[in-house]
Amino acid sequence: MKARAFDYRRVTSVAEALDAYAGCPGEARYLAGGQSLLPALNLRLDAPDLLIDIGRVDALRGIAVEGDALRIGALTRHAETLASDLIAAHAPILTEAAAFMAHPAIRNLGTMGGSLALADPASELPASMRALGASIEITGAAGTRSVAADDFFRDLFETVIAPGEILSAVRVPLARPGTRMRFDEIARRRGDYAMVGLAAHLALAGDAVETARLAFCSVGPTPMRAPAAEAALAGRPLGPESIAAAKAALADDLAPDDDDTLSAAARMHLARVLLGRVLAALGDGHRQAEAA
């Protein structure tokens, strides 16, 4: 199929993009990497009157440390996330997650802002942002506001972004000493959507877990935190007993539905397997760091 006819406008500033959206008498969409929007247009699942190309807006680019956070521009491509030394140093979950995202052709065009704005619950980045405790910068006619990643995702493919607003950047708190983080997923083939994915972010004080943030993808309508499993880890050494407790507590956190690809029971089993795998790897990494 081919997309329905639409007008196209390329802009070079956020202000110009907002004006173009406000001036459209019908429906408008912002175009960044286009890896989700263009297939939707061609399948006629979306049919805007105006496509506003924001790919040349320099203000939406850049990766830099600002104060106590790493600021990542919304137009940062997945391949740039994978290659960035700053991201690898301060938010390695994102480096690991980017390696799982589709294939090189898509990673070379897809953007961080586009992935987060789409809010696909099977995507790696939304879960990673919740695990990191990131905040999302959203720019509109009234200015720029910041929304915690935990509050950003409302429902399936739904976020707090209002019509006309642009996701402009992400701010990730800089990792403190004692922080351990990891992303992993289980998929049928590399590059496929994950059957289950997990972003884990732990703060350790000595041998004990001080705080834990666990965020799953592909187990619900949004990226899902696991508060009961997090609580099972807090205040305890990261070892077989605490890992087993966290896996048992996961039943209170997740309730996936059956679908055409996987049963709910199978998805829960994979979630427990993945949680055990990720936590064991973090525990091994902590012990090796302590020995060094």
Side-chain angles (χ1 to χ4, degrees):
M1 295 181 68
K2 293 184 178 179
R4 290 190 176 94
F6 55 83
D7 291 330
Y8 171 86
R9 181 172 172 182
R10 177 181 290 167
V11 299
T12 57
S13 71
V14 172
E16 188 181 358
L18 296 175
D19 288 343
Y21 193 101
C24 177
E27 292 191 11
R29 296 286 185 274
Y30 294 120
L31 171 67
Q35 298 307 287
S36 299
L37 178 58
L38 293 182
L41 294 178
N42 288 334
L43 291 171
R44 301 198 176 187
L45 299 174
D46 202 347
D49 301 287
L50 172 64
L51 207 58
I52 304 168
D53 188 343
I54 60 174
R56 304 289 181 90
V57 179
D58 290 338
L60 300 179
R61 300 188 181 281
I63 304 168
V65 174
E66 295 183 356
D68 61 354
L70 179 68
R71 187 180 187 275
I72 307 171
L75 288 182
T76 299
R77 301 192 186 277
H78 305 319
E80 294 177 288
T81 297
L82 191 58
S84 169
D85 291 336
L86 278 176
I87 291 177
H90 298 292
I93 279 181
L94 300 180
T95 305
E96 294 171 355
F100 284 101
M101 296 182 68
H103 303 285
I106 291 175
R107 292 198 293 267
N108 287 335
L109 292 174
T111 65
M112 182 172 291
S115 177
L116 296 175
L118 179 65
D120 187 335
S123 178
E124 293 83 359
L125 288 183
S128 298
M129 294 303 172
R130 291 203 69 181
L132 287 166
S135 58
I136 315 296
E137 291 184 4
I138 303 169
T139 302
T144 298
R145 59 193 175 104
S146 181
V147 178
D150 280 341
D151 300 322
F152 179 76
F153 304 99
R154 282 185 168 172
D155 206 337
L156 182 66
F157 299 113
E158 183 182 345
T159 73
V160 299
I161 299 176
E165 291 185 322
I166 295 174
L167 193 159
S168 49
V170 174
R171 294 181 66 89
V172 178
L174 298 182
R176 299 179 300 160
T179 298
R180 296 289 182 270
M181 60 184 80
R182 188 176 182 89
F183 183 92
D184 200 359
E185 67 179 40
I186 298 173
R188 289 183 173 85
R189 296 173 299 180
R190 187 77 174 196
D192 282 2
Y193 281 113
M195 292 185 285
V196 176
L198 171 62
H201 181 282
L202 307 182
L204 282 79
D207 291 332
V209 176
E210 188 174 18
T211 60
R213 296 179 67 91
L214 306 172
F216 286 85
C217 59
S218 286
V219 294
T222 66
M224 303 293 291
R225 285 281 300 276
E230 293 169 356
L233 293 171
R236 305 173 66 179
L238 184 58
E241 290 185 3
S242 60
I243 292 174
K247 291 170 66 176
L250 207 57
D252 296 326
D253 295 320
L254 307 180
D257 294 324
D258 291 319
D259 60 38
D260 293 337
T261 64
L262 202 63
S263 70
R267 205 175 296 273
M268 276 298 301
H269 170 71
L270 292 178
R272 290 191 180 96
V273 169
L274 186 59
L275 179 60
R277 177 191 300 176
V278 167
L279 292 178
L282 289 173
D284 290 343
H286 176 65
R287 285 185 285 274
Q288 290 171 9
E290 288 291 305

